mmCIF file of all heavy atoms in Angstrom:
data_model
loop_
_atom_site.group_PDB
_atom_site.id
_atom_site.type_symbol
_atom_site.label_atom_id
_atom_site.label_comp_id
_atom_site.label_asym_id
_atom_site.label_seq_id
_atom_site.Cartn_x
_atom_site.Cartn_y
_atom_site.Cartn_z
ATOM 1 N N VAL A 1 -24.485 6.724 59.177
ATOM 2 C CA VAL A 1 -23.130 6.685 58.620
ATOM 3 C C VAL A 1 -22.251 7.619 59.442
ATOM 4 O O VAL A 1 -22.644 8.747 59.751
ATOM 5 C CB VAL A 1 -23.107 7.107 57.139
ATOM 6 C CG1 VAL A 1 -21.668 7.203 56.621
ATOM 7 C CG2 VAL A 1 -23.900 6.120 56.291
ATOM 8 N N TYR A 2 -21.096 7.132 59.836
ATOM 9 C CA TYR A 2 -20.084 7.932 60.518
ATOM 10 C C TYR A 2 -19.025 8.295 59.486
ATOM 11 O O TYR A 2 -18.491 7.412 58.792
ATOM 12 C CB TYR A 2 -19.460 7.135 61.665
ATOM 13 C CG TYR A 2 -18.166 7.717 62.199
ATOM 14 C CD1 TYR A 2 -18.180 8.642 63.238
ATOM 15 C CD2 TYR A 2 -16.934 7.338 61.656
ATOM 16 C CE1 TYR A 2 -16.988 9.169 63.739
ATOM 17 C CE2 TYR A 2 -15.742 7.856 62.148
ATOM 18 C CZ TYR A 2 -15.781 8.779 63.182
ATOM 19 O OH TYR A 2 -14.601 9.304 63.651
ATOM 20 N N ILE A 3 -18.722 9.585 59.350
ATOM 21 C CA ILE A 3 -17.719 10.042 58.386
ATOM 22 C C ILE A 3 -16.588 10.717 59.150
ATOM 23 O O ILE A 3 -16.800 11.722 59.833
ATOM 24 C CB ILE A 3 -18.325 11.028 57.366
ATOM 25 C CG1 ILE A 3 -19.500 10.376 56.617
ATOM 26 C CG2 ILE A 3 -17.259 11.490 56.374
ATOM 27 C CD1 ILE A 3 -20.216 11.318 55.660
ATOM 28 N N PHE A 4 -15.387 10.160 59.012
ATOM 29 C CA PHE A 4 -14.212 10.764 59.639
ATOM 30 C C PHE A 4 -13.463 11.581 58.601
ATOM 31 O O PHE A 4 -12.938 11.042 57.625
ATOM 32 C CB PHE A 4 -13.303 9.684 60.232
ATOM 33 C CG PHE A 4 -12.077 10.251 60.901
ATOM 34 C CD1 PHE A 4 -12.198 11.090 61.993
ATOM 35 C CD2 PHE A 4 -10.806 9.950 60.441
ATOM 36 C CE1 PHE A 4 -11.083 11.629 62.608
ATOM 37 C CE2 PHE A 4 -9.680 10.474 61.058
ATOM 38 C CZ PHE A 4 -9.824 11.319 62.145
ATOM 39 N N ARG A 5 -13.493 12.885 58.762
ATOM 40 C CA ARG A 5 -12.799 13.863 57.923
ATOM 41 C C ARG A 5 -13.455 14.086 56.564
ATOM 42 O O ARG A 5 -13.693 15.209 56.171
ATOM 43 C CB ARG A 5 -11.330 13.491 57.713
ATOM 44 C CG ARG A 5 -10.495 13.593 58.976
ATOM 45 C CD ARG A 5 -9.054 13.350 58.636
ATOM 46 N NE ARG A 5 -8.184 13.653 59.762
ATOM 47 C CZ ARG A 5 -6.998 14.190 59.648
ATOM 48 N NH1 ARG A 5 -6.526 14.494 58.464
ATOM 49 N NH2 ARG A 5 -6.256 14.432 60.714
ATOM 50 N N GLU A 6 -13.707 13.022 55.805
ATOM 51 C CA GLU A 6 -14.312 13.157 54.488
ATOM 52 C C GLU A 6 -14.716 11.776 53.994
ATOM 53 O O GLU A 6 -14.133 10.771 54.373
ATOM 54 C CB GLU A 6 -13.321 13.793 53.504
ATOM 55 C CG GLU A 6 -11.978 13.093 53.456
ATOM 56 C CD GLU A 6 -10.870 13.989 52.936
ATOM 57 O OE1 GLU A 6 -11.169 14.954 52.221
ATOM 58 O OE2 GLU A 6 -9.703 13.717 53.248
ATOM 59 N N GLY A 7 -15.733 11.759 53.146
ATOM 60 C CA GLY A 7 -16.180 10.473 52.626
ATOM 61 C C GLY A 7 -15.197 9.867 51.654
ATOM 62 O O GLY A 7 -15.073 8.659 51.547
ATOM 63 N N ALA A 8 -14.514 10.729 50.879
ATOM 64 C CA ALA A 8 -13.506 10.291 49.925
ATOM 65 C C ALA A 8 -12.329 11.252 50.008
ATOM 66 O O ALA A 8 -12.514 12.466 50.106
ATOM 67 C CB ALA A 8 -14.083 10.270 48.507
ATOM 68 N N LEU A 9 -11.107 10.714 49.934
ATOM 69 C CA LEU A 9 -9.926 11.547 50.123
ATOM 70 C C LEU A 9 -9.774 12.608 49.042
ATOM 71 O O LEU A 9 -9.280 13.694 49.297
ATOM 72 C CB LEU A 9 -8.673 10.671 50.141
ATOM 73 C CG LEU A 9 -8.407 9.898 51.433
ATOM 74 C CD1 LEU A 9 -7.192 9.000 51.270
ATOM 75 C CD2 LEU A 9 -8.191 10.852 52.591
ATOM 76 N N LEU A 10 -10.158 12.285 47.813
ATOM 77 C CA LEU A 10 -9.974 13.205 46.708
ATOM 78 C C LEU A 10 -11.304 13.475 46.014
ATOM 79 O O LEU A 10 -12.253 12.703 46.121
ATOM 80 C CB LEU A 10 -8.969 12.641 45.699
ATOM 81 C CG LEU A 10 -7.567 12.343 46.251
ATOM 82 C CD1 LEU A 10 -6.709 11.684 45.187
ATOM 83 C CD2 LEU A 10 -6.901 13.608 46.748
ATOM 84 N N GLY A 11 -11.340 14.600 45.292
ATOM 85 C CA GLY A 11 -12.521 14.942 44.516
ATOM 86 C C GLY A 11 -13.561 15.706 45.316
ATOM 87 O O GLY A 11 -13.448 15.857 46.539
ATOM 88 N N PRO A 12 -14.576 16.219 44.636
ATOM 89 C CA PRO A 12 -15.650 16.947 45.323
ATOM 90 C C PRO A 12 -16.535 15.996 46.116
ATOM 91 O O PRO A 12 -16.317 14.773 46.129
ATOM 92 C CB PRO A 12 -16.420 17.598 44.160
ATOM 93 C CG PRO A 12 -16.154 16.694 42.990
ATOM 94 C CD PRO A 12 -14.767 16.158 43.178
ATOM 95 N N ALA A 13 -17.569 16.543 46.735
ATOM 96 C CA ALA A 13 -18.443 15.759 47.628
ATOM 97 C C ALA A 13 -19.455 14.953 46.817
ATOM 98 O O ALA A 13 -20.670 15.129 46.945
ATOM 99 C CB ALA A 13 -19.147 16.689 48.606
ATOM 100 N N LEU A 14 -18.976 14.022 45.987
ATOM 101 C CA LEU A 14 -19.876 13.232 45.133
ATOM 102 C C LEU A 14 -20.592 12.151 45.944
ATOM 103 O O LEU A 14 -21.822 12.067 45.947
ATOM 104 C CB LEU A 14 -19.071 12.600 43.996
ATOM 105 C CG LEU A 14 -18.378 13.581 43.044
ATOM 106 C CD1 LEU A 14 -17.545 12.826 42.022
ATOM 107 C CD2 LEU A 14 -19.417 14.454 42.342
ATOM 108 N N ALA A 15 -19.826 11.300 46.613
ATOM 109 C CA ALA A 15 -20.441 10.234 47.410
ATOM 110 C C ALA A 15 -21.299 10.817 48.519
ATOM 111 O O ALA A 15 -22.371 10.285 48.847
ATOM 112 C CB ALA A 15 -19.368 9.316 47.985
ATOM 113 N N GLU A 16 -20.845 11.920 49.101
ATOM 114 C CA GLU A 16 -21.596 12.548 50.189
ATOM 115 C C GLU A 16 -22.944 13.089 49.693
ATOM 116 O O GLU A 16 -23.952 13.024 50.397
ATOM 117 C CB GLU A 16 -20.761 13.678 50.787
ATOM 118 C CG GLU A 16 -19.455 13.199 51.436
ATOM 119 C CD GLU A 16 -18.265 13.184 50.500
ATOM 120 O OE1 GLU A 16 -18.478 13.086 49.262
ATOM 121 O OE2 GLU A 16 -17.135 13.252 50.982
ATOM 122 N N ARG A 17 -22.964 13.621 48.470
ATOM 123 C CA ARG A 17 -24.228 14.114 47.908
ATOM 124 C C ARG A 17 -25.196 12.959 47.615
ATOM 125 O O ARG A 17 -26.402 13.085 47.800
ATOM 126 C CB ARG A 17 -23.961 14.930 46.648
ATOM 127 C CG ARG A 17 -23.272 16.260 46.945
ATOM 128 C CD ARG A 17 -23.047 17.095 45.698
ATOM 129 N NE ARG A 17 -22.300 18.301 46.017
ATOM 130 C CZ ARG A 17 -22.828 19.419 46.503
ATOM 131 N NH1 ARG A 17 -24.148 19.477 46.695
ATOM 132 N NH2 ARG A 17 -22.085 20.462 46.782
ATOM 133 N N ILE A 18 -24.637 11.838 47.157
ATOM 134 C CA ILE A 18 -25.484 10.658 46.947
ATOM 135 C C ILE A 18 -26.081 10.202 48.273
ATOM 136 O O ILE A 18 -27.268 9.865 48.363
ATOM 137 C CB ILE A 18 -24.665 9.523 46.286
ATOM 138 C CG1 ILE A 18 -24.267 9.917 44.862
ATOM 139 C CG2 ILE A 18 -25.455 8.216 46.282
ATOM 140 C CD1 ILE A 18 -23.306 8.941 44.213
ATOM 141 N N LEU A 19 -25.255 10.208 49.307
ATOM 142 C CA LEU A 19 -25.725 9.823 50.641
ATOM 143 C C LEU A 19 -26.875 10.719 51.089
ATOM 144 O O LEU A 19 -27.882 10.249 51.627
ATOM 145 C CB LEU A 19 -24.557 9.931 51.618
ATOM 146 C CG LEU A 19 -24.637 9.138 52.918
ATOM 147 C CD1 LEU A 19 -24.625 7.646 52.649
ATOM 148 C CD2 LEU A 19 -23.450 9.511 53.813
ATOM 149 N N ARG A 20 -26.754 11.997 50.819
ATOM 150 C CA ARG A 20 -27.812 12.933 51.213
ATOM 151 C C ARG A 20 -29.090 12.669 50.413
ATOM 152 O O ARG A 20 -30.198 12.674 50.967
ATOM 153 C CB ARG A 20 -27.328 14.371 51.007
ATOM 154 C CG ARG A 20 -28.376 15.396 51.455
ATOM 155 C CD ARG A 20 -27.800 16.790 51.466
ATOM 156 N NE ARG A 20 -28.825 17.733 51.880
ATOM 157 C CZ ARG A 20 -29.350 18.680 51.106
ATOM 158 N NH1 ARG A 20 -28.912 18.826 49.867
ATOM 159 N NH2 ARG A 20 -30.276 19.494 51.555
ATOM 160 N N ARG A 21 -28.955 12.435 49.115
ATOM 161 C CA ARG A 21 -30.137 12.156 48.291
ATOM 162 C C ARG A 21 -30.823 10.867 48.731
ATOM 163 O O ARG A 21 -32.045 10.737 48.640
ATOM 164 C CB ARG A 21 -29.747 12.055 46.817
ATOM 165 C CG ARG A 21 -29.393 13.392 46.177
ATOM 166 C CD ARG A 21 -29.216 13.244 44.686
ATOM 167 N NE ARG A 21 -30.462 12.807 44.039
ATOM 168 C CZ ARG A 21 -30.561 12.476 42.762
ATOM 169 N NH1 ARG A 21 -29.478 12.498 41.985
ATOM 170 N NH2 ARG A 21 -31.712 12.102 42.246
ATOM 171 N N ALA A 22 -30.027 9.912 49.231
ATOM 172 C CA ALA A 22 -30.606 8.645 49.706
ATOM 173 C C ALA A 22 -31.281 8.810 51.057
ATOM 174 O O ALA A 22 -31.933 7.884 51.543
ATOM 175 C CB ALA A 22 -29.510 7.582 49.784
ATOM 176 N N GLY A 23 -31.109 9.968 51.680
ATOM 177 C CA GLY A 23 -31.778 10.237 52.955
ATOM 178 C C GLY A 23 -31.149 9.545 54.152
ATOM 179 O O GLY A 23 -31.822 9.329 55.161
ATOM 180 N N VAL A 24 -29.860 9.208 54.050
ATOM 181 C CA VAL A 24 -29.179 8.510 55.142
ATOM 182 C C VAL A 24 -28.538 9.552 56.068
ATOM 183 O O VAL A 24 -27.747 10.379 55.614
ATOM 184 C CB VAL A 24 -28.101 7.549 54.600
ATOM 185 C CG1 VAL A 24 -27.421 6.816 55.753
ATOM 186 C CG2 VAL A 24 -28.725 6.566 53.615
ATOM 187 N N PRO A 25 -28.843 9.550 57.361
ATOM 188 C CA PRO A 25 -28.226 10.521 58.280
ATOM 189 C C PRO A 25 -26.761 10.188 58.532
ATOM 190 O O PRO A 25 -26.362 9.023 58.499
ATOM 191 C CB PRO A 25 -29.046 10.370 59.558
ATOM 192 C CG PRO A 25 -29.536 8.957 59.520
ATOM 193 C CD PRO A 25 -29.776 8.634 58.068
ATOM 194 N N TRP A 26 -25.975 11.229 58.778
ATOM 195 C CA TRP A 26 -24.571 10.972 59.107
ATOM 196 C C TRP A 26 -24.104 11.851 60.253
ATOM 197 O O TRP A 26 -24.646 12.919 60.515
ATOM 198 C CB TRP A 26 -23.661 11.126 57.893
ATOM 199 C CG TRP A 26 -23.422 12.504 57.347
ATOM 200 C CD1 TRP A 26 -22.667 13.495 57.888
ATOM 201 C CD2 TRP A 26 -23.913 13.026 56.101
ATOM 202 N NE1 TRP A 26 -22.645 14.594 57.071
ATOM 203 C CE2 TRP A 26 -23.397 14.335 55.967
ATOM 204 C CE3 TRP A 26 -24.714 12.505 55.086
ATOM 205 C CZ2 TRP A 26 -23.674 15.142 54.866
ATOM 206 C CZ3 TRP A 26 -24.996 13.300 53.983
ATOM 207 C CH2 TRP A 26 -24.483 14.601 53.875
ATOM 208 N N VAL A 27 -23.066 11.326 60.942
ATOM 209 C CA VAL A 27 -22.294 12.075 61.929
ATOM 210 C C VAL A 27 -20.959 12.391 61.291
ATOM 211 O O VAL A 27 -20.300 11.506 60.742
ATOM 212 C CB VAL A 27 -22.079 11.259 63.220
ATOM 213 C CG1 VAL A 27 -21.034 11.926 64.120
ATOM 214 C CG2 VAL A 27 -23.382 11.092 63.969
ATOM 215 N N PHE A 28 -20.564 13.657 61.344
ATOM 216 C CA PHE A 28 -19.274 14.061 60.796
ATOM 217 C C PHE A 28 -18.310 14.330 61.942
ATOM 218 O O PHE A 28 -18.636 15.033 62.895
ATOM 219 C CB PHE A 28 -19.418 15.314 59.936
ATOM 220 C CG PHE A 28 -18.117 15.787 59.356
ATOM 221 C CD1 PHE A 28 -17.409 15.008 58.465
ATOM 222 C CD2 PHE A 28 -17.591 17.025 59.702
ATOM 223 C CE1 PHE A 28 -16.197 15.424 57.935
ATOM 224 C CE2 PHE A 28 -16.378 17.466 59.178
ATOM 225 C CZ PHE A 28 -15.689 16.661 58.288
ATOM 226 N N ASP A 29 -17.104 13.747 61.860
ATOM 227 C CA ASP A 29 -16.095 13.862 62.916
ATOM 228 C C ASP A 29 -14.799 14.355 62.299
ATOM 229 O O ASP A 29 -14.347 13.821 61.276
ATOM 230 C CB ASP A 29 -15.892 12.484 63.571
ATOM 231 C CG ASP A 29 -14.855 12.500 64.682
ATOM 232 O OD1 ASP A 29 -14.563 13.590 65.220
ATOM 233 O OD2 ASP A 29 -14.339 11.415 65.018
ATOM 234 N N PHE A 30 -14.178 15.381 62.878
ATOM 235 C CA PHE A 30 -12.900 15.847 62.357
ATOM 236 C C PHE A 30 -11.993 16.332 63.477
ATOM 237 O O PHE A 30 -12.447 16.850 64.493
ATOM 238 C CB PHE A 30 -13.086 16.904 61.268
ATOM 239 C CG PHE A 30 -13.665 18.235 61.703
ATOM 240 C CD1 PHE A 30 -13.091 19.422 61.284
ATOM 241 C CD2 PHE A 30 -14.829 18.317 62.475
ATOM 242 C CE1 PHE A 30 -13.621 20.658 61.641
ATOM 243 C CE2 PHE A 30 -15.372 19.532 62.833
ATOM 244 C CZ PHE A 30 -14.749 20.719 62.419
ATOM 245 N N ASP A 31 -10.682 16.109 63.273
ATOM 246 C CA ASP A 31 -9.679 16.415 64.296
ATOM 247 C C ASP A 31 -8.557 17.282 63.759
ATOM 248 O O ASP A 31 -7.506 17.398 64.372
ATOM 249 C CB ASP A 31 -9.109 15.109 64.871
ATOM 250 C CG ASP A 31 -8.314 14.324 63.844
ATOM 251 O OD1 ASP A 31 -8.508 14.553 62.626
ATOM 252 O OD2 ASP A 31 -7.489 13.484 64.236
ATOM 253 N N ASP A 32 -8.765 17.879 62.597
ATOM 254 C CA ASP A 32 -7.800 18.787 61.985
ATOM 255 C C ASP A 32 -8.568 19.874 61.244
ATOM 256 O O ASP A 32 -9.764 19.712 60.962
ATOM 257 C CB ASP A 32 -6.888 18.054 60.986
ATOM 258 C CG ASP A 32 -5.584 17.575 61.603
ATOM 259 O OD1 ASP A 32 -5.006 18.316 62.428
ATOM 260 O OD2 ASP A 32 -5.150 16.458 61.264
ATOM 261 N N ALA A 33 -7.869 20.942 60.881
ATOM 262 C CA ALA A 33 -8.499 22.017 60.107
ATOM 263 C C ALA A 33 -8.578 21.585 58.647
ATOM 264 O O ALA A 33 -7.909 22.134 57.764
ATOM 265 C CB ALA A 33 -7.696 23.301 60.261
ATOM 266 N N VAL A 34 -9.434 20.603 58.373
ATOM 267 C CA VAL A 34 -9.474 19.972 57.050
ATOM 268 C C VAL A 34 -10.070 20.868 55.977
ATOM 269 O O VAL A 34 -10.093 20.486 54.804
ATOM 270 C CB VAL A 34 -10.213 18.618 57.108
ATOM 271 C CG1 VAL A 34 -9.386 17.585 57.841
ATOM 272 C CG2 VAL A 34 -11.581 18.758 57.765
ATOM 273 N N TRP A 35 -10.569 22.056 56.351
ATOM 274 C CA TRP A 35 -11.015 23.004 55.338
ATOM 275 C C TRP A 35 -9.839 23.775 54.731
ATOM 276 O O TRP A 35 -10.000 24.523 53.776
ATOM 277 C CB TRP A 35 -12.021 23.980 55.944
ATOM 278 C CG TRP A 35 -11.448 24.891 56.990
ATOM 279 C CD1 TRP A 35 -10.849 26.107 56.798
ATOM 280 C CD2 TRP A 35 -11.399 24.655 58.399
ATOM 281 N NE1 TRP A 35 -10.438 26.648 57.991
ATOM 282 C CE2 TRP A 35 -10.765 25.776 58.998
ATOM 283 C CE3 TRP A 35 -11.846 23.623 59.228
ATOM 284 C CZ2 TRP A 35 -10.561 25.878 60.376
ATOM 285 C CZ3 TRP A 35 -11.632 23.721 60.600
ATOM 286 C CH2 TRP A 35 -10.998 24.839 61.153
ATOM 287 N N VAL A 36 -8.639 23.594 55.296
ATOM 288 C CA VAL A 36 -7.434 24.237 54.789
ATOM 289 C C VAL A 36 -6.729 23.269 53.845
ATOM 290 O O VAL A 36 -6.586 22.086 54.162
ATOM 291 C CB VAL A 36 -6.489 24.617 55.952
ATOM 292 C CG1 VAL A 36 -5.200 25.244 55.430
ATOM 293 C CG2 VAL A 36 -7.188 25.551 56.919
ATOM 294 N N ARG A 37 -6.285 23.752 52.689
ATOM 295 C CA ARG A 37 -5.581 22.875 51.759
ATOM 296 C C ARG A 37 -4.215 22.501 52.322
ATOM 297 O O ARG A 37 -3.409 23.365 52.649
ATOM 298 C CB ARG A 37 -5.404 23.547 50.398
ATOM 299 C CG ARG A 37 -4.856 22.576 49.330
ATOM 300 C CD ARG A 37 -4.705 23.261 47.990
ATOM 301 N NE ARG A 37 -5.967 23.731 47.462
ATOM 302 C CZ ARG A 37 -6.869 22.965 46.859
ATOM 303 N NH1 ARG A 37 -6.625 21.674 46.714
ATOM 304 N NH2 ARG A 37 -7.985 23.466 46.407
ATOM 305 N N TYR A 38 -3.964 21.204 52.453
ATOM 306 C CA TYR A 38 -2.692 20.702 52.970
ATOM 307 C C TYR A 38 -1.933 20.024 51.826
ATOM 308 O O TYR A 38 -2.501 19.202 51.093
ATOM 309 C CB TYR A 38 -2.934 19.693 54.094
ATOM 310 C CG TYR A 38 -1.669 18.999 54.566
ATOM 311 C CD1 TYR A 38 -0.742 19.678 55.355
ATOM 312 C CD2 TYR A 38 -1.392 17.688 54.201
ATOM 313 C CE1 TYR A 38 0.417 19.060 55.776
ATOM 314 C CE2 TYR A 38 -0.231 17.060 54.616
ATOM 315 C CZ TYR A 38 0.671 17.757 55.404
ATOM 316 O OH TYR A 38 1.824 17.139 55.809
ATOM 317 N N VAL A 39 -0.658 20.375 51.651
ATOM 318 C CA VAL A 39 0.155 19.831 50.570
ATOM 319 C C VAL A 39 1.019 18.705 51.108
ATOM 320 O O VAL A 39 1.869 18.916 51.973
ATOM 321 C CB VAL A 39 1.034 20.918 49.928
ATOM 322 C CG1 VAL A 39 1.896 20.321 48.823
ATOM 323 C CG2 VAL A 39 0.161 22.043 49.379
ATOM 324 N N SER A 40 0.785 17.490 50.614
ATOM 325 C CA SER A 40 1.550 16.325 51.061
ATOM 326 C C SER A 40 2.959 16.358 50.489
ATOM 327 O O SER A 40 3.141 16.636 49.295
ATOM 328 C CB SER A 40 0.839 15.041 50.604
ATOM 329 O OG SER A 40 1.701 13.929 50.700
ATOM 330 N N PRO A 41 3.989 16.055 51.298
ATOM 331 C CA PRO A 41 5.356 16.025 50.775
ATOM 332 C C PRO A 41 5.556 14.966 49.691
ATOM 333 O O PRO A 41 6.362 15.145 48.793
ATOM 334 C CB PRO A 41 6.204 15.689 52.018
ATOM 335 C CG PRO A 41 5.357 16.070 53.181
ATOM 336 C CD PRO A 41 3.941 15.824 52.754
ATOM 337 N N ALA A 42 4.813 13.860 49.765
ATOM 338 C CA ALA A 42 5.004 12.772 48.804
ATOM 339 C C ALA A 42 4.167 12.947 47.546
ATOM 340 O O ALA A 42 4.529 12.467 46.481
ATOM 341 C CB ALA A 42 4.673 11.423 49.461
ATOM 342 N N ASN A 43 3.009 13.626 47.656
ATOM 343 C CA ASN A 43 2.085 13.723 46.530
ATOM 344 C C ASN A 43 1.513 15.136 46.429
ATOM 345 O O ASN A 43 0.314 15.343 46.552
ATOM 346 C CB ASN A 43 0.936 12.718 46.696
ATOM 347 C CG ASN A 43 1.417 11.282 46.792
ATOM 348 O OD1 ASN A 43 1.856 10.701 45.816
ATOM 349 N ND2 ASN A 43 1.342 10.721 47.989
ATOM 350 N N SER A 44 2.393 16.113 46.176
ATOM 351 C CA SER A 44 1.938 17.498 46.163
ATOM 352 C C SER A 44 0.898 17.738 45.074
ATOM 353 O O SER A 44 -0.030 18.527 45.250
ATOM 354 C CB SER A 44 3.131 18.437 45.970
ATOM 355 O OG SER A 44 3.817 18.137 44.768
#
């Protein structure tokens, strides 16, 4: 599984934890400091 930035845009790592329990390997790819909380102008 290739994951770009996050498995799901909102919420905790629920799907990602299921993926780990299923034993499926993944590559994680990110191009921004996504560990920083970003406030969207349209949906703060």
Side-chain angles (χ1 to χ4, degrees):
V1 174
Y2 165 90
I3 302 176
F4 180 62
R5 292 186 170 216
E6 52 202 337
L9 283 176
L10 301 175
L14 298 176
E16 297 91 335
R17 290 182 184 277
I18 293 172
L19 201 65
R20 182 170 179 246
R21 288 188 62 187
V24 181
W26 71 73
V27 168
F28 179 63
D29 180 20
F30 67 134
D31 66 340
D32 266 321
V34 289
W35 66 88
V36 178
R37 189 179 298 281
Y38 173 74
V39 179
S40 165
N43 301 288
S44 58

